[in-house]
Amino acid sequence: CGHCKKLAPEYEKAASILSQNDPPIVLAKVDANEEANKEIATEFEISDGIVAYLKKQSGPASAEIKSVEDASSLIDDKKIVIVGVFPRLSGEEYVNFTSLAEKLRSDYEFGHTLDAKLLPRGESSVTGPVVRLLKPFDELFVDFQDFHVDALENFVQESSVPTVTIFNNDPSNHPFVIKFFNNKNAKAMLFLNFSSEVADSLKSKYREVAEQYKGEGISFLIGDLEASQGAFQYFGLKEEQVPVIIIQKNDGQKYLKANLEADQIAPWIKEYKDGNVPPHRKSEPIPEANNEPVKVVVADSLQDIVFNSGKNVLIEFYAPWCGHCKKLAPILDEVAVSYESDADVIIAKIDATANDIPSDTFDVKGYPTLYFNSASGKVLDYDGDRTKEDIINFIEKNRDKTTPQSHQR
């Protein structure tokens, strides 16, 4: 299966990360084509899912609704459905709607009809052309009449995200969580224990704020502590900080307030919007002793050691579970030892899974990633062989020298 082969490396990466979780989370794979595994494939409706997907892709992108039964089979209270209401099934508006349906058919269900009375929600007397988006949250339906394809697509994307997305263990919420994280807005996330005494007041105030900032470039999610362990690990949060709100912008900047009270939500969001909240940075503690040849850098010491030290710094971005990083470690130790008598060169490493990395300076997409920052501030990525000799040659070629230096090779 081509899609399986495409998924394999990302699945392996996720498995490596999750295996380090406490307790470990195991990702497994099953060859559904093997005779011995047919029962498992049947239990999880693998073939049914594939058949349903292919049927959806091979049929018309939008289904015509001619009866109440047609509407009932397409529209339910768990999913988003987009229906075009038209006085006739022709013309520019109808053509643009079918183009939209073709473009977004993998993500949404589409229908079209000549009679709005057949639809379960919304004004039944409209003759169109109008697009009605029916959804299982907020106002339950929204009408839209701008039939430019770009405008229609923006309308669908914006209207299909709840005012407040719920992140819990209910699988019916998961598609909306994915949409939340895929949208282009800044993302506000409030994590709390849904069974706590303060949950209702926090949820109520949070929704009020979300309504207030609708259309202002910020989306809102509320997550139950029980379902949010992965998010806590990613953001470096701790349970004692709950209730905690964190905002992440598209540039990676994060803003955080821990131990939040309901009446603090609105003022804090306003302070953030006004630019008065300092960014939060995930960082391990700065080590009290840093005496090994390869210096340990954390997010809170990165600026001082790499950028402000006036040194030539080679830094490795690594992950604790990464096999290639473990293989490189003794080589970097040797490089560092060879520069111990050279005060102008530092060999360093940073755990990129436990510390925020400035993405505007370092493009870390895999591990290990090596960068070199010269004493004058010239940043270069290292893509040579991972041998002691090649790394030293690279440093010597690109370092800023004030006086001739020597080191042991």
Side-chain angles (χ1 to χ4, degrees):
C1 165
H3 292 297
C4 302
K5 291 174 182 175
K6 186 176 179 182
L7 175 64
E10 292 301 319
Y11 199 72
E12 291 286 347
K13 182 179 175 183
S16 296
I17 295 170
L18 292 171
S19 68
Q20 305 301 312
N21 195 65
D22 185 17
I25 298 170
V26 176
L27 289 188
K29 60 184 178 181
V30 174
D31 184 346
N33 208 36
E34 288 285 337
E35 192 62 39
N37 297 330
K38 294 288 187 185
E39 187 176 337
I40 297 175
T42 302
E43 180 184 347
F44 288 95
E45 302 177 341
I46 303 298
S47 57
D48 290 348
I50 294 170
V51 169
Y53 175 80
L54 291 176
K55 279 184 176 179
K56 184 180 176 185
Q57 295 303 305
S58 61
S62 178
E64 185 173 1
I65 298 171
K66 297 180 179 179
S67 65
V68 172
E69 289 73 26
D70 289 343
S72 298
S73 67
L74 180 66
I75 301 162
D76 63 34
D77 60 359
K78 293 287 187 183
K79 65 186 179 186
I80 293 169
V81 181
I82 299 111
V83 179
V85 180
F86 300 96
R88 63 186 186 283
L89 301 183
S90 61
E92 182 182 359
E93 290 91 349
Y94 178 72
V95 169
N96 286 357
F97 177 79
T98 54
S99 296
L100 176 79
E102 195 66 53
K103 184 175 182 181
L104 300 181
R105 66 187 299 165
S106 295
D107 302 317
Y108 301 95
E109 300 275 359
F110 285 86
H112 56 274
T113 186
L114 296 169
D115 188 358
K117 294 184 182 69
L118 301 175
L119 304 181
R121 300 192 287 277
E123 175 56 53
S124 60
S125 63
V126 299
T127 56
V130 64
V131 173
R132 179 165 295 168
L133 185 145
L134 301 108
K135 52 186 178 177
F137 51 82
D138 295 348
E139 64 270 64
L140 300 183
F141 76 92
V142 191
D143 286 353
F144 191 70
Q145 292 181 296
D146 184 342
F147 276 83
H148 292 93
V149 176
D150 288 347
L152 281 172
E153 186 172 354
N154 286 336
F155 160 70
V156 169
Q157 302 291 13
E158 290 175 9
S159 300
S160 62
V161 177
T163 303
V164 177
T165 299
I166 306 298
F167 183 22
N168 57 11
N169 289 323
D170 182 351
S172 67
N173 286 327
H174 294 173
F176 306 118
V177 173
I178 292 168
K179 283 183 179 299
F180 171 87
F181 284 107
N182 285 343
N183 79 54
K184 62 183 182 294
N185 289 344
K187 296 162 185 66
M189 294 157 277
L190 172 61
F191 297 106
L192 67 148
N193 186 338
F194 277 15
S195 60
S196 69
E197 293 180 359
V198 297
D200 287 344
S201 61
L202 282 163
K203 288 179 181 178
S204 175
K205 288 291 185 183
Y206 193 63
R207 184 171 188 85
E208 286 177 20
V209 171
E211 294 278 3
Q212 179 184 343
Y213 288 97
K214 215 172 208 178
E216 294 194 27
I218 181 168
S219 298
F220 292 81
L221 173 144
I222 188 164
D224 186 12
L225 179 62
E226 185 183 357
S228 305
Q229 294 306 307
F232 268 56
Q233 185 177 2
Y234 176 78
F235 290 116
L237 303 176
K238 297 179 175 61
E239 289 194 18
E240 56 263 30
Q241 293 176 296
V242 171
V244 58
I245 185 170
I246 188 163
I247 296 177
Q248 182 172 32
K249 293 168 66 174
N250 287 336
D251 63 4
Q253 291 273 43
K254 304 178 188 73
Y255 305 82
L256 179 143
K257 183 169 179 60
N259 307 120
L260 187 73
E261 297 178 7
D263 59 3
Q264 296 173 330
I265 296 173
W268 188 81
I269 295 285
K270 184 179 186 305
E271 282 186 40
Y272 159 77
K273 290 289 286 182
D274 292 343
N276 296 326
V277 177
H280 166 77
R281 184 167 54 203
K282 178 174 75 170
S283 179
E284 294 179 293
I286 296 175
E288 293 181 10
N290 207 352
N291 301 323
E292 296 299 318
V294 176
K295 304 307 176 189
V296 175
V297 173
V298 299
D300 286 343
S301 64
L302 185 97
Q303 197 70 29
D304 289 339
I305 294 176
V306 178
F307 296 110
N308 297 340
S309 65
K311 311 287 188 184
N312 299 283
V313 182
L314 181 85
I315 183 166
E316 176 203 16
F317 298 88
Y318 75 94
W321 45 261
C322 163
H324 293 296
C325 304
K326 292 172 183 175
K327 187 176 177 182
L328 178 61
I331 297 169
L332 280 187
D333 281 338
E334 289 181 24
V335 174
V337 167
S338 76
Y339 278 106
E340 278 188 317
S341 61
D342 188 336
D344 291 332
V345 175
I346 296 174
I347 311 300
K349 64 181 181 180
I350 183 169
D351 181 349
T353 68
N355 296 277
D356 280 338
I357 308 300
S359 57
D360 55 341
T361 306
F362 302 112
D363 185 23
V364 180
K365 288 192 168 70
Y367 308 113
T369 294
L370 292 169
Y371 269 90
F372 181 75
N373 185 58
S374 70
S376 61
K378 183 171 64 175
V379 178
L380 302 169
D381 65 318
Y382 177 79
D383 58 1
D385 289 340
R386 293 170 188 162
T387 65
K388 175 185 174 182
E389 291 74 19
D390 284 313
I391 293 171
I392 287 175
N393 287 338
F394 177 84
I395 293 171
E396 289 304 299
K397 179 182 176 182
N398 295 288
R399 66 179 291 176
D400 294 321
K401 294 184 180 178
T402 51
T403 58
Q405 301 289 344
S406 65
H407 54 274
Q408 300 173 350
R409 290 186 185 240

